[in-house]
Amino acid sequence: MSVRLTVAQALVRFLAAQHTERDGVRQRLITATWGIFGHGNVAGIGQALVEYPDLMPYHQGRNEQAMVHAAVGYARQSNRLRAHAVTTSIGPGATNLVTGAALATINRLPVLLLPGDTFATRPADPVLQQLEVPYAGEVSVNDCLRPVSRYFDRITRPEALVPAALAAVRVLTDPADTGAVTLALPQDVQAEAYDWPEEFLAERTWTVRRPRPDAAELDAAVRAVRAARRPLVIAGGGVRYSAAEDALRTLAEQADLPVASTQAAKGVLPYDHACDVGGIGHTGTATANALARTSDLIIGVGTRYTDFTTASGTLFRPDTRLLNLNITGFDAHKQSALPLVADAREGLTALSEALGGHRQGGRHNPERWIFSKQEWQERTDTAYTPDSEDARPTQVQVLGALDTLVTGDDILINAAGSLPGDLHKLWRARSTDQYHVEYGYSCMGYEIPAAIGVALAAPGRPVWALVGDGTYLMNPTEIVTAVQERLPIKVVILQNHGYASIGGLSEAVGAERFGTDYRFRAPDGSFTGEPLPVDLAANAASLGLRVLRARTVRDLREALADAREATVPTCVYVETETADSVSGAPPAQAWWDVPVAETSTRPSAVKAREEYDRHVTARRRHL
């Protein structure tokens, strides 16, 4: 039997029938579609969404990149078991997806992209917004999405949708190889009718597998752990996506293992757990980095080992061995490590069982790191505490005020600027999913749309989007969507009149904060001390947010408490110290490689190069 439908109608019905199942829990895979319509999708996907409103909920976006960010936030909060689709017109609507697609694929978070495409039948050539490539007639702007997609296909015939749609869902539900999936849809093909097999439209369940470790690799891993005197676990995002927090806690408690976390994993153990030693690497704690520098075995679980984690290859000793538990062989073999290729939960459970009652007995004893943790918490308390309740808060004091207010129900979202560093060092995560910092791509403009996605995935929980003024100016448009959807997200805008993070980095590498100010420019090209008369609070209010202005620490505490209880989208606006001032956090506890000019006439650059040469000599490759 067959059903006659357009390509777009068949795709919507197919997507509505796809489910995931893991550990006996079955749920729908694509739970909604985001869309901005124009020629290229309005008569295809747009018409199909009107045709089947009960099958596929629709969310109206304002910016194509932001729609992808919202979908990514939803997928992350759903532990990659649920996802959203995003549809756009051809031309700029499609190319605006590229940054969001890169973020999704780098972070390995599933999102389905459905950009419109130029005519497959070419009745007129070129059409509006078509890119003409003299040497390749089949190329369109959607080909920009190929390198940032985990799977890409262009549906030039109706019958081609069947294998392409199945392949797309295979990748979306793959626990190791997921990311952005792009199905480019020529506008004429979207509207074309075809007789679809009923089997294609039937409900289908995709099991999200949990591969177990190879026996030989597990045996080698057990020997490595037993031989180590000072092991350290580095937990990555794979722990969270595998729901392996309990398995990690069991192993850590059983073997007295300290656990440091990357940005993607902070909170997999609560901050007050005895084995948690905080963030690792350039934005990490003194406790975690001191342990890393003296460890003889690093046990990486679900981590990609970015340069922030390894302090650009300077954090571990030359003779340190690495053992990597990862669901992908690609990541498991990084740093010339002993690989343990498996699902994080299955691998940790197998490792715990194989170790039996083994407890590491070297110098990494719990009393030592617990004392160091206490010292770091005291530094955090000092940074969080203002001199006066009537003073203007520093950025870190804003975090301190929020710290006194939240519970494990709250979710914090951030992505770029100096806030990720302050949060990774200092934030006290109270639940496994409270800390949501996107640092695989560190994309400015992620926070507000991601908060919308998280609020859709976790209704009823307080969701905070922490944004600096630079990030806010990049992408505030989805505020309108939050208002339209009546989602009570809480947006905290920290105004310091400039790119504070990149300004500090610029100064450190001898570029003298060039191009990082939001101030009036003098005729000679220099910047004056007067900030621009830009009122971000008024802008947020004009987009529909309820805005609370906080001028002092006391005001801030009251505004945050008000916002947390609000049932409408609410903004807390606070001016912190200027871009020339530090955030108030302890300095970086490990190096990060940003090359400095090898020759310069400017003293600041010469000095910065001398410091760079001193650090770079400590870099090592683990071979």
Side-chain angles (χ1 to χ4, degrees), residues 95 217 224 313 395 413 437 484 521 564 620:
T95 53
E217 288 188 349
Q395 178 170 285
I413 299 169
V437 173
Q484 182 179 39
R521 198 158 193 164
R564 189 173 187 273
R620 48 217 167 234

Side-chain angles (χ1 to χ4, degrees), residues 266 271 377-378 380-381 384 403 426-430 434:
K266 188 175 175 71
Y271 81 95
Q377 290 302 323
E378 290 170 2
T380 299
D381 289 337
Y384 276 178
D403 177 79
L426 305 177
W427 186 256
R428 295 160 172 161
R430 293 160 171 80
Q434 180 178 84

Side-chain angles (χ1 to χ4, degrees), residues 6 26 69 96 113 159 176 180 221 267 295 305 324 358 399 576:
T6 69
R26 182 176 181 265
H69 293 336
N96 280 350
L113 307 181
E159 56 268 34
S295 288
Y305 287 111
N324 291 346
H358 171 77
L399 300 182
T576 62

